[in-house]
Amino acid sequence: MNLFTDIHAVVLAALGQMQAEGALPEGLDFANVTVEPPRDPLHGDMATNAAMVLAKAAKAKPRDIAEKLVEKLAADDRITSAEVAGPGFINLRLAPAVWQGLVAAVLNGGTKFGRSNLGAGKKVNVEYVSANPTGPLHVGHTRGAVFGDALASLLDFAGYDVTREYYINDGGAQVDVLARSVYLRYLEAHGQEVAFEDGTYPGEYLIEVGANLRDKVGDAYVDQPEEVWLTEVREFATEAMMDLIREDLKMLGVEMDVFYSEKSLYGTGRIEGAIQDLTDKGLIYRGTLEPPKGKLPEDWEPREQTLFKSTDYGDDVDRPIKKSDGAWTYFAPDIAYHYDKVQRGFDLLIDVFGADHGGYVKRMKAAVSALSGGKVPVDIKLCQLVKLFKNGEPFKMSKRAGTFIMLRDVVEQVGPDVTRFVMLTRKNDAPLDFDFDKVLEQSKDNPVFYVQYAHARVASVLRKAAEAGITADDATLLAADHTKLDHEAELNLLKKIAEWPRLVEIAARTNEPHRIAFYLYELASDLHGLWNRGNENTSLRFIQDDDSATSQAKIALARSTAVVIAAGLGILGVTPAEELR
RNA sequence: GCACCCAUAGCUCAGCUGGAUAGAGCGCUGCCCUCCGAAGGCAGAGGCCUCAGGUUCGAAUCCUGAUGGGUGCGCCA
């Protein structure tokens, strides 16, 4: 139930009627006609721009169209007033009964209220995290993980068929480095002195992996050449790292549907197949790239390479898919991977990358566009950096100094709910400050707490109602007389609830889950406001002494608010609190 | 040098793909608990939406350019 689409339909019907009566010419494009909440609530409940948008094509003055449209709209019994304002806006006011009807809609729908079929069941693949399997996840990954996960949930809520996917980069040189590092820890576990030189991972998390390897194979690999052990150790180490990463994700509450291995693309002809597809389209050639302008790398020399003609699809330069030794570059398996996603029948692909992959966006879009014949859109969301603070002081991360903050450090300190919510209170393409002290603060300065508090307050009302002997289960609340909710403050809260289904669609269309977080803050604010007005005006308190019928109507409103908050938090992956401590 | 992202109140940020007098939190000045949780609420002060052009009924929003900041730029993924 989305009141805005309902009224939008009313407006379109009225416009159609005007055409039938000759008041408007045929063949007008209504696509830009919107119905939205006016910026200033004093103007009314909803506003439409219909008259202004159509004026030019209809060769009429906006206000003239508006005057006629207003007459039609006023005939609808949901609309109590329709008036022309400013340059040709039409401001509408809706009958209280329309707003009051929301309570039943919310209580009937539960946390499914606001679900949309915007996605119409289209298959969408959301790829996120995809961190290299060389160590536990750190803070940078955390933002991508939270963002991708919330986006996936949002799209699901908006009616898409969502697959959550993790691409394991286990095919490149970095896993050989990992294997060698684990091998050193393995030797160490056998009592040898080892040195970690450049090009190895000195992280302490590998000590245990080395010891486990020793327990598994004994001294079979000790003092053996690399050919003997590299493949097995690599396998063993990547498995161990993926176990670590899976644990990290679990701590955050992230569950993937698919873990897709890069390595599985090799030796199966799938990379060759994808490249062949591009070759058939005339997009693969041998050539030499121009050196980048400006600061030239010291060892630059022109080289002939196998290139993908990504410039045909808007990229700045063509991109190499093979190294000079004939091996694939990282780009080639990535092309094959996306080719595979296209072939699995997804209607839409979304990649969530870190900001450091910004330069990768154009070539990936080019590749998908070429591979799918432009049929499968790919949206690439970049998550900007997370800056950590402690006591207001920037917290520098350094691998060398051991102050590299891991995902588990953050989650252990502040919990998954806070971590998730805070990471979603900024749009993905803006950098994020994360202050350990501030996020744990319990005040309105902290949005997580503020929203949780609103939810907990409603739970508190329900407990108080039980103490006062008022029945307040959802069935009873649903049957209550909601027309008693006629105070302006109560109607305002209902109007905010009415925006929820609309907001879900906007957030889903733009792939911006942070909008959910901001909406929840506003909704919580309205509830807190109503609550406090009960201080001065006792008739606004949810529990009315000696009047259980009125109480039930008011509690139904509180409960509806809590349901929407719970639904929103559900999308963000945050558990709604029944009680705060 | 080139590409992408960002620029809105003193600070941290929203702004519903072009709408009316640009919003919130913090901070600042006041006020509200015999009351369902004051862990809250209300009010006030605070703005040339970085700058300059353009598009149109209408621009913080779209386009061009400039300035400042971030990220990246052929055998690392």
Side-chain angles (χ1 to χ4, degrees):
Chain A
M1 169 176 181
N2 183 341
L3 288 177
F4 291 90
T5 49
D6 290 356
I7 300 301
H8 186 248
V10 172
V11 170
L12 291 188
L15 290 171
Q17 213 181 334
M18 284 170 67
Q19 283 180 317
E21 292 167 7
L24 278 178
E26 297 294 328
L28 290 176
D29 180 11
F30 294 155
N32 291 324
V33 173
T34 61
V35 172
E36 34 186 44
R39 189 162 282 179
D40 187 344
L42 289 177
H43 291 133
D45 297 324
M46 294 185 185
T48 178
N49 60 357
M52 289 182 294
V53 173
L54 300 176
K56 201 173 201 176
K59 296 193 173 99
K61 286 182 189 160
R63 290 195 66 103
D64 291 345
I65 299 176
E67 301 288 349
K68 286 174 200 151
L69 185 53
V70 156
E71 286 173 36
K72 304 273 180 224
L73 293 176
D76 192 288
D77 56 7
R78 281 167 288 187
I79 297 171
T80 51
S81 90
E83 45 194 53
V84 186
F89 281 103
I90 296 173
N91 291 325
L92 304 173
R93 282 171 210 283
L94 270 50
V98 176
W99 306 113
Q100 290 153 355
L102 281 164
V103 175
V106 175
L107 293 178
N108 265 324
T111 47
K112 289 190 172 138
F113 174 76
R115 272 191 169 270
S116 157
N117 63 354
L118 179 77
K122 276 190 272 196
K123 286 182 69 181
V124 55
N125 181 293
V126 184
E127 181 209 329
Y128 56 110
V129 193
S130 297
N132 288 347
T134 54
L137 300 177
H138 57 72
V139 241
H141 300 127
T142 310
R143 187 175 188 187
V146 169
F147 175 84
D149 202 49
L151 176 57
S153 300
L154 170 62
L155 293 175
D156 175 79
F157 201 75
Y160 287 88
D161 177 5
V162 180
T163 299
R164 298 156 192 255
E165 191 152 321
Y166 186 122
Y167 179 59
I168 309 172
N169 285 108
D170 54 3
Q174 77 281 1
V175 282
D176 288 343
V177 174
L178 172 74
R180 291 188 193 105
S181 308
V182 167
Y183 183 70
L184 288 175
R185 290 299 186 186
Y186 163 78
L187 294 180
E188 209 174 40
H190 276 287
Q192 294 194 19
E193 289 272 329
V194 296
F196 287 89
E197 290 160 13
D198 280 358
T200 53
Y201 302 132
E204 292 180 2
Y205 57 88
L206 293 181
I207 294 175
E208 196 187 338
V209 182
N212 289 344
L213 181 62
R214 177 202 55 197
D215 295 346
K216 189 185 170 202
V217 303
D219 59 4
Y221 298 153
V222 175
D223 298 327
Q224 296 293 318
E226 204 170 278
E227 305 88 77
V228 175
W229 50 263
L230 186 68
T231 310
E232 280 77 16
V233 174
R234 189 171 56 204
E235 193 84 7
F236 184 81
T238 18
E239 263 316 305
M241 292 304 101
M242 283 313 295
D243 284 346
L244 268 183
I245 289 171
R246 270 186 265 256
E247 266 177 55
D248 284 346
L249 292 176
K250 198 175 172 192
M251 278 184 86
L252 244 196
V254 173
E255 264 186 59
M256 295 288 173
D257 298 315
V258 177
F259 284 90
Y260 195 102
S261 158
E262 174 193 357
K263 208 178 54 192
S264 73
L265 292 164
Y266 289 91
T268 58
R270 302 167 86 162
I271 298 178
E272 293 75 6
I275 299 304
Q276 188 57 46
D277 183 87
L278 294 177
T279 309
D280 293 345
K281 288 170 173 148
L283 295 169
I284 302 292
Y285 69 102
R286 296 284 296 173
T288 308
L289 289 173
E290 292 288 310
K293 298 207 168 101
K295 51 162 191 175
L296 196 65
E298 298 265 326
D299 56 348
W300 175 273
E301 48 187 71
R303 223 176 259 119
E304 201 190 48
Q305 293 166 303
T306 304
L307 299 167
F308 165 52
K309 203 161 172 24
S310 54
T311 46
D312 274 11
Y313 294 86
D315 202 356
D316 311 307
V317 286
D318 293 338
R319 305 292 176 176
I321 55 164
K322 264 190 186 174
K323 301 175 189 173
S324 47
D325 67 3
W328 298 114
T329 64
Y330 59 90
F331 188 35
D334 240 2
I335 290 173
Y337 172 49
H338 282 79
Y339 188 53
D340 184 72
K341 287 201 256 191
V342 169
Q343 289 190 322
R344 274 187 275 159
F346 289 105
D347 301 301
L348 173 64
L349 303 182
I350 297 178
D351 292 350
V352 178
F353 291 160
D356 53 345
H357 283 60
Y360 205 50
V361 172
K362 282 187 178 177
R363 82 192 64 169
M364 212 60 251
K365 285 194 168 190
V368 173
S369 183
L371 289 167
S372 75
K375 290 207 178 76
V376 179
V378 54
D379 189 11
I380 298 180
K381 306 296 279 188
L382 295 177
C383 286
Q384 289 294 325
L385 302 179
V386 178
K387 281 184 246 166
L388 290 175
F389 288 83
K390 207 154 197 169
N391 296 316
E393 293 290 313
F395 197 82
K396 288 265 192 250
M397 291 206 297
S398 158
K399 243 178 191 169
R400 202 167 293 255
T403 55
F404 207 64
I405 304 286
M406 297 299 161
L407 176 145
R408 58 185 60 196
D409 298 329
V410 178
V411 176
E412 272 166 12
Q413 269 195 61
V414 307
D417 286 341
V418 171
T419 306
R420 294 184 69 122
F421 198 100
V422 170
M423 296 238 167
L424 291 166
T425 48
R426 200 107 314 162
K427 52 185 174 208
N428 61 288
D429 47 14
L432 170 77
D433 292 348
F434 191 96
D435 191 317
F436 278 96
D437 303 297
K438 238 177 191 165
V439 298
L440 287 174
E441 206 173 283
Q442 299 209 333
S443 74
K444 60 181 169 181
D445 191 15
N446 182 352
V448 196
F449 167 76
Y450 189 82
V451 172
Q452 292 279 28
Y453 184 34
H455 190 269
R457 270 186 153 170
V458 174
S460 166
V461 167
L462 293 173
R463 286 193 296 270
K464 292 283 173 187
E467 283 171 27
I470 299 168
T471 317
D473 57 278
D474 279 0
T476 309
L477 297 180
L478 181 57
D481 177 10
H482 304 140
T483 60
K484 289 177 183 289
L485 300 168
D486 56 358
H487 191 279
E488 163 251 330
E490 293 164 336
L491 290 170
N492 276 344
L493 183 54
L494 284 168
K495 288 172 188 177
K496 182 58 78 177
I497 290 174
E499 286 181 34
W500 171 239
R502 178 169 183 272
L503 186 108
V504 166
E505 295 194 349
I506 291 167
R509 246 197 299 273
T510 51
N511 293 334
E512 292 180 341
H514 76 275
R515 289 177 193 271
I516 305 285
F518 281 93
Y519 169 81
L520 291 179
Y521 187 88
E522 288 168 20
L523 181 61
S525 178
D526 284 353
L527 181 83
H528 289 312
L530 176 59
W531 181 289
N532 273 79
R533 288 187 67 170
N535 291 343
E536 292 155 18
N537 183 350
T538 54
S539 73
L540 285 177
R541 295 184 192 168
F542 294 114
I543 295 176
Q544 297 289 313
D545 296 336
D546 306 322
D547 186 350
S548 60
T550 307
S551 297
Q552 282 159 346
K554 290 175 185 295
I555 295 169
L557 171 60
R559 173 75 187 135
S560 302
T561 311
V563 167
V564 173
I565 289 177
L569 289 177
I571 291 172
L572 305 184
V574 176
T575 29
E578 292 301 308
E579 204 170 2
L580 296 173
R581 313 194 63 274

